[in-house]
Amino acid sequence: MRTELPVVGEPRLGLPAPDVVDATAAAGMLADRTRAGILRMLAEGPHCVCEMAAALGERDNNVSNHLAKLRDAGLVHAVRHEANARFLYYERDEAAVAAARAALMDVLR
Amino acid sequence: MRTELPVVGEPRLGLPAPDVVDATAAAGMLADRTRAGILRMLAEGPHCVCEMAAALGERDNNVSNHLAKLRDAGLVHAVRHEANARFLYYERDEAAVAAARAALMDVLR
DNA sequence: CAAACACTTCAGCGGATCGTGTGATGTTCA
DNA sequence: TGAACATCACACGATCCGCTGAAGTGTTTG
């Protein structure tokens, strides 16, 4: 099954430019091994920085740097552990994740 | 509605590293405005290079460069127009696109 | 055939990005 | 209080990546 090519001999100019700003922003977040690993781990539930750094084989400050980018993008936010306030537990913002998912799916529709 | 934090005071070390290689590869392709625009346009049907370059406001050779990357990734392939063989029409590889979609959704599950 | 067209390839340049190192903040514990 | 811990913020160096320009292949047209 092959899609049919346009029969016109002339290319169609003036086609509208697709809007992909949200998709490229979301993809930019996922395009890094560490950030993708973070988001994948947070899909299971909250994690603190040292947990994720250990699992990903990265240094704490590096993971922290990437978390800052994810935070600025609104994809995650941090919560202090009530019993052990020295641990910052990160969790995903499900609304933002859903929006990113939708933007990506729109391009790969 | 807030996910509950782990009650343990100690972080869980030794968690498994998530596999995100396919997702980062797919995201890397989508993380560029031009490539995302190409894939979005090809979702509607085949297009030749000049059509996409015009719609995206990019030079032909730039679009061609990005198409080469998408080709190497297996996401698109080119077909010569039967009536006008000087036009190369690109179409998406739906199987590869579905795989990319699945890899991305696994991270943002 | 020659010229115009559609597209590709590649080197090179400039800017973005990643990992690291370092210093600072806040928390727990002895 | 002081030491160890968890995390952050920032700057630096190296690498990566996208855009451009120029040269080359194949196709159509006059």
Side-chain angles (χ1 to χ4, degrees):
Chain A
M1 126 208 151
R2 274 263 317 290
T3 317
E4 216 47 53
L5 296 185
V7 280
V8 292
E10 286 307 306
R12 303 149 287 179
L13 291 185
L15 290 177
D19 181 12
V20 292
V21 286
D22 293 345
T24 56
M29 287 296 115
L30 289 192
D32 176 80
R33 174 193 164 277
T34 303
R35 281 194 302 268
I38 290 171
L39 288 171
R40 180 63 186 77
M41 289 189 73
L42 292 183
E44 314 282 357
H47 289 287
C48 62
V49 179
C50 56
E51 278 179 359
M52 296 187 281
L56 298 171
E58 295 288 336
R59 300 183 196 278
D60 291 4
N61 56 358
N62 191 22
V63 172
S64 183
N65 279 333
H66 286 292
L67 281 167
K69 298 190 181 186
L70 293 171
R71 230 186 305 129
D72 292 347
L75 288 169
V76 304
H77 59 100
V79 179
R80 287 229 171 253
H81 194 284
E82 49 271 15
N84 243 345
R86 100 176 113 175
F87 294 104
L88 261 184
Y89 275 80
Y90 278 86
E91 38 187 52
R92 298 198 322 190
D93 185 311
E94 294 304 331
V97 168
R101 202 162 33 211
L104 292 172
M105 286 309 95
D106 178 67
V107 171
L108 296 183
R109 136 183 20 173
Chain B
M1 125 208 149
R2 274 262 319 289
T3 317
E4 216 48 52
L5 295 184
V7 281
V8 292
E10 285 308 307
R12 303 148 288 180
L13 291 184
L15 290 177
D19 180 13
V20 291
V21 286
D22 293 344
T24 56
M29 287 296 116
L30 289 193
D32 175 80
R33 174 193 163 277
T34 303
R35 280 193 302 268
I38 289 172
L39 288 170
R40 181 62 186 77
M41 289 189 72
L42 293 183
E44 315 282 357
H47 288 287
C48 61
V49 178
C50 57
E51 278 179 0
M52 295 187 282
L56 299 171
E58 295 288 337
R59 302 183 196 278
D60 292 4
N61 58 353
N62 191 22
V63 172
S64 185
N65 277 330
H66 287 293
L67 281 167
K69 298 191 181 184
L70 293 171
R71 230 187 304 129
D72 291 346
L75 289 169
V76 303
H77 59 100
V79 178
R80 287 228 172 255
H81 193 284
E82 49 271 14
N84 243 346
R86 97 176 116 174
F87 294 103
L88 260 184
Y89 276 80
Y90 277 86
E91 38 185 52
R92 298 199 323 193
D93 185 312
E94 294 304 332
V97 168
R101 201 162 34 213
L104 292 172
M105 287 309 96
D106 178 68
V107 172
L108 296 184
R109 135 178 25 171

